[in-house]
Amino acid sequence: MAKVLQRLVRIGLLSSTQGTRGGYTLGRPPATISVADVIEAIDGPFTVTACSTEKNDCEQYSKCSVRDPLWQIRERIAAALETVTLAEIAAEHVSSPVPVSRAAVLHNART
């Protein structure tokens, strides 16, 4: 966890404060941090398949018929993740929390 937090600080998504009252805070306003920013900061570039990068490491690369459609899917997913911000997620969580009793009922319905 410490390495993930350090990476988020290095990228500027978090700020850290040392000391007994220290901790982590957002490094930018939550409306400017997208879900894509967080995923890429933690996991690196977003990929759908091993060939989703521009390296062309796959031996089937030149004759692959699904590469371009998969890249288009990757681009659409990445674009969607870029449109959702931490502010939106926090607002949704605060405005519509799931009651504990309701969550328990949903859980029991699955079993």
Side-chain angles (χ1 to χ4, degrees), residues 10-89:
R10 203 171 333 126
I11 291 172
L13 297 180
L14 292 180
S15 295
S16 65
T17 305
Q18 302 277 333
T20 56
R21 295 193 167 258
Y24 294 91
T25 58
L26 291 178
R28 301 188 329 226
T32 67
I33 301 174
S34 72
V35 172
D37 292 335
V38 176
I39 291 172
E40 287 185 9
I42 294 171
D43 291 333
F46 177 72
T47 61
V48 175
T49 64
C51 69
S52 291
T53 64
E54 309 255 337
K55 290 182 185 178
N56 308 337
D57 288 342
C58 179
E59 49 190 66
Q60 302 296 321
Y61 184 86
S62 62
K63 53 188 167 193
C64 182
S65 62
V66 296
R67 179 188 68 236
D68 291 336
L70 287 175
W71 281 6
Q72 290 174 3
I73 291 168
R74 181 245 175 253
E75 290 303 315
R76 288 183 182 181
I77 293 170
L81 293 172
E82 288 171 6
T83 65
V84 181
T85 67
L86 293 185
E88 290 176 62
I89 292 172

Side-chain angles (χ1 to χ4, degrees), residues 1-12:
M1 182 61 109
K3 288 184 179 185
V4 170
L5 292 171
Q6 289 171 357
R7 186 176 302 149
L8 295 173
V9 168
R10 203 171 333 126
I11 291 172

